[in-house]
Amino acid sequence: MTAPTVPTDSPDSPDSADPAGSNVSEATASGSGSGSGSGSGSGSAVATLLASPRVRAGVPSVVLAAFLLIAPSSFDGYGISLLSKALALGVLAVSVSVLAGYSGLPTMGQAAPFLVGAYTAGVLGTHGHTIGVVQLLCGTLVAAAFAAATGLVAIRTRGVAFLMTTLALGELTVTAAGEWRSLTGGTDGMYGIPPVQPLPGMATLNSDRNVYWYVLGATTVIVAIVWRVLRSPVGKLLLACRDHEARMRSAGHPVTRYQWLAYVAAGALAGFGGVLMCTVNQYVSPDDGSFSNSALVLLAVVLGGATSPLGALLGAGLIVATRDWLAGPFPGHGPLLLGLMFIIAVYAFPDGVAGIRFQALRVPRVLKRRGGSA
């Protein structure tokens, strides 16, 4: 079956149409035709390069990678621990991006498979299975199975009904975790989880710095896989189901099955993030799957960009930095700061941080209209 060709609005996609780039190209052609000089030509070439979708996607990636690599030498133990939590929460935000941005299914219960993955890692750890890769694999599979079962109910709804259904499933999961004391420790949570070994024979991760490198490596691998899949025909197929559901159904595509598979994949991603959060905290409680966490990661996706995995990571980092670091000098005002940040982001960056364009590069065309030279 061949996926239909549809335009993708992903800020990370180099194949997406770019009006800024076309404007600059026209301005460059005009400048060369009027003989405006080598200085103008070189300026237009630089503008064209900066407007390239590959550059727009690559520069933030390089900046973020450089920051994450030098962070351990610049922050204390608390700061490094916050970065590790931000990465784990970022994986959860990426799973929300897959559902809300690509499948058109905004969810308020994605913290439920996140909690399932975290508890799976906690149970394995307390029973002596401390190999990190084993915990990641098991937590991902159990969360995927959980999403497959709950998705049979949720995926048949749309819009507000889907939002409320996922919210109800999330609250039921939190309640079950609080009541199942023999497995989860109840509302007190599961504590005393031992540190992990990344691979058999490797040293145990006994420091915040070592845990950070482990979480960073795992996050990089899983986000790279998601990014590659979403840039394939699979991503275009999901976008087609999101934007043209009736047309896809009339063409014979099983849209409900596609979206159920996306729901399962997003649940597996959330479970992966839950395992990482358990590794960082060495503690799991029902609060990790609460409504507030689901709302925060949805906010992170809005801040970063609905169809950008990198933007979701950036949004999660902004959330954690505002809630746990910036709110330090203003005790008790964390929710207020998050609300202000959300309002500013909605008005200043309606497409999220990943949707920022070089607006200054549109100036040459304006000058062309007025008879000026680029």
Side-chain angles (χ1 to χ4, degrees):
M1 179 178 61
T2 304
T5 303
V6 296
T8 173
D9 56 355
S10 171
D12 289 344
S13 174
D15 300 325
S16 58
D18 179 57
S22 61
N23 294 346
V24 174
S25 300
E26 294 176 13
T28 304
S30 174
S32 60
S34 60
S36 57
S38 60
S40 175
S42 62
S44 298
V46 172
T48 304
L49 177 63
L50 291 176
S52 167
R54 293 184 180 275
V55 173
R56 285 204 315 270
V59 170
S61 301
V62 171
V63 172
L64 178 61
F67 170 77
L68 292 175
L69 289 175
I70 66 174
S73 60
S74 305
F75 291 91
D76 56 9
Y78 177 71
I80 294 174
S81 178
L82 283 184
L83 284 175
S84 300
K85 293 178 182 178
L87 289 171
L89 199 65
V91 176
L92 176 59
V94 171
S95 74
V96 174
S97 176
V98 171
L99 276 182
Y102 278 84
S103 302
L105 300 171
T107 173
M108 292 297 291
Q110 199 62 8
F114 180 82
L115 182 64
V116 171
Y119 269 119
T120 301
V123 170
L124 288 174
T126 54
H127 286 79
H129 303 286
T130 59
I131 305 301
V133 174
V134 174
Q135 291 186 3
L136 286 172
L137 180 60
C138 292
T140 301
L141 291 177
V142 173
F146 172 84
T150 57
L152 295 175
V153 177
I155 208 65
R156 299 185 182 277
T157 59
R158 294 290 185 273
V160 176
F162 181 82
L163 203 67
M164 293 296 100
T165 300
T166 54
L167 174 59
L169 290 172
E171 292 301 305
L172 287 173
T173 304
V174 171
T175 302
E179 295 295 330
W180 199 350
R181 294 182 178 274
S182 61
L183 181 67
T184 65
T187 55
D188 293 333
M190 182 183 294
Y191 49 87
I193 301 173
V196 304
Q197 300 171 269
L199 292 169
M202 296 184 67
T204 301
L205 304 178
N206 289 317
S207 68
D208 292 329
R209 196 180 306 273
N210 291 336
V211 170
Y212 170 78
W213 288 119
Y214 169 74
V215 173
L216 176 61
T219 301
T220 301
V221 170
I222 196 66
V223 172
I225 293 174
V226 173
W227 179 78
R228 185 65 187 91
V229 170
L230 292 179
R231 284 170 56 90
S232 71
V234 173
K236 297 181 183 298
L237 188 64
L238 291 176
L239 289 173
C241 293
R242 183 196 69 182
D243 297 332
H244 309 285
E245 181 174 347
R247 185 177 300 177
M248 292 289 287
R249 290 186 185 277
S250 64
H253 291 276
V255 173
T256 302
R257 185 184 305 170
Y258 294 159
Q259 293 182 331
W260 178 78
L261 291 173
Y263 188 89
V264 174
L269 274 175
F272 190 97
V275 174
L276 293 181
M277 187 64 78
C278 176
T279 300
V280 174
N281 292 333
Q282 296 181 4
Y283 171 78
V284 186
S285 75
D287 287 340
D288 292 329
S290 64
F291 165 75
S292 61
N293 269 354
S294 294
L296 284 178
V297 293
L298 188 58
L299 172 59
V301 170
V302 173
L303 290 175
T307 55
S308 171
L310 177 61
L313 282 175
L314 290 173
L318 290 173
I319 291 292
V320 174
T322 303
R323 182 190 63 182
D324 298 332
W325 178 67
L326 187 60
F330 308 98
H333 291 79
L336 175 62
L337 294 175
L338 288 174
L340 290 175
M341 182 174 63
F342 177 71
I343 293 173
I344 293 172
V346 167
Y347 280 96
F349 310 113
D351 295 325
V353 175
I356 296 175
R357 296 291 185 266
F358 296 96
Q359 299 294 339
L361 298 180
R362 298 177 183 233
V363 172
R365 187 173 185 179
V366 175
L367 293 177
K368 177 184 175 182
R369 291 174 182 171
R370 296 179 180 177
S373 60

